[in-house]
Amino acid sequence: MTRLDHARNAYEAMAPFYDDFTADHRYEEWTRTIESLAHDAGLRGRRLLDVACGTGKSFLPFLERGYEVTACDISPAMASAARAKARGRARVSVQDMRQLPSLGTFDLICCLDDAVNYLHSAREVCAAFAAMARNLAPAGVMVFDANTLLAYRTFFATLSVIQREGQVLIWDGATPPDLSAGGLARATLEAYTAAEEGWARTRSRHVQRHHPEAHVRTWLAAAGLEPVAVHGLQQDGSLSVAVDELVDTKALYVVRRDQAQRPGTGEPAAGTAAVA
């Protein structure tokens, strides 16, 4: 199995600009919502694994709340930034989410900011879910999000510019505004930074696949996992009870081990149909 070179390359280039690009993301509120939903699903402990942690913005609020944090990202530059922010309070390593080793036994696993959409095939998603499941405590909870069609038909299909002193970030969405379910979305981030001899340009290319909820549910079942809840997330951070692909910007999955499977085996219990 090859590495996710396209995702690694995208975030190696984007790492110096990621915090500026996501400056308006409210991680404190976002992670409190995630924590609340995880508690509703049975979360009790405080051992967190943050997969695709980026520069650490997604796990820092958990650190402040007393969680024991392990984190990883496929990009060495992103992982390095996260490690610097953690200041020794978290274990951060470079990992491909499809090939996660045994990093521990975790009460909560998060995989946020549409990281699963960088997985382009059913095989890749299933491998990632299975790898995360192997790191999940028997009563643990996993939370991840995925972009909806609305996100791809708007943000991934339009041009947006962020300008600050000495820096211009240009997000150029190249996705068809009528992208069909399961399609590939493409966008490019151009970063211009003031330098002594003009402007330095850095480009990162992002290619994601839309994953319909029905497919995600099938892949979770194959990994021995089941959704406790699947919420729609709107632009203002509010949640809906169910996902509407044309109203919500993300689908938020709250997952735990399939109670119909024999504990510790990943196999269906007697009398339970296996998922093909």
Side-chain angles (χ1 to χ4, degrees), residues 52-70:
C53 68
T55 62
K57 296 176 77 171
S58 52
F59 70 67
L60 288 174
F62 287 103
L63 273 178
E64 299 304 323
R65 294 180 210 135
Y67 278 75
E68 177 186 326
V69 175
T70 299

Side-chain angles (χ1 to χ4, degrees), residues 33-110:
T33 296
I34 289 168
E35 187 179 25
S36 176
L37 292 172
H39 278 299
D40 290 344
L43 175 65
R44 295 296 177 266
R46 287 180 171 267
R47 297 168 297 178
L48 168 69
L49 172 61
D50 189 7
V51 178
C53 68
T55 62
K57 296 176 77 171
S58 52
F59 70 67
L60 288 174
F62 287 103
L63 273 178
E64 299 304 323
R65 294 180 210 135
Y67 278 75
E68 177 186 326
V69 175
T70 299
C72 61
D73 198 273
I74 197 169
S75 160
M78 297 287 274
S80 178
R83 193 177 298 113
K85 289 179 184 178
R87 300 195 306 274
R89 297 176 296 162
R91 294 187 300 152
V92 183
S93 62
V94 177
Q95 304 290 346
D96 181 329
M97 71 172 76
R98 302 166 304 167
Q99 301 173 333
L100 285 181
S102 177
L103 298 174
T105 302
F106 298 95
D107 306 301
L108 176 61
I109 296 179
C110 290

Side-chain angles (χ1 to χ4, degrees), residues 4 6-8 10-11 14 97 113-121 124-125 147 152 156 171 205-209 211:
L4 285 172
H6 69 96
R8 181 185 186 278
Y11 282 98
M14 190 180 183
M97 71 172 76
D113 294 330
D114 45 85
V116 299
N117 293 111
Y118 284 94
L119 305 170
H120 292 172
S121 70
E124 287 182 322
V125 182
N147 278 337
Y152 292 126
F156 268 77
W171 176 264
R205 295 181 176 86
H206 300 262
V207 184
Q208 295 191 358
R209 185 176 294 281
H211 297 312

Side-chain angles (χ1 to χ4, degrees), residues 149 152-153 157 175-181:
L149 281 175
Y152 292 126
R153 292 177 179 181
T175 301
D178 59 350
L179 182 75
S180 59

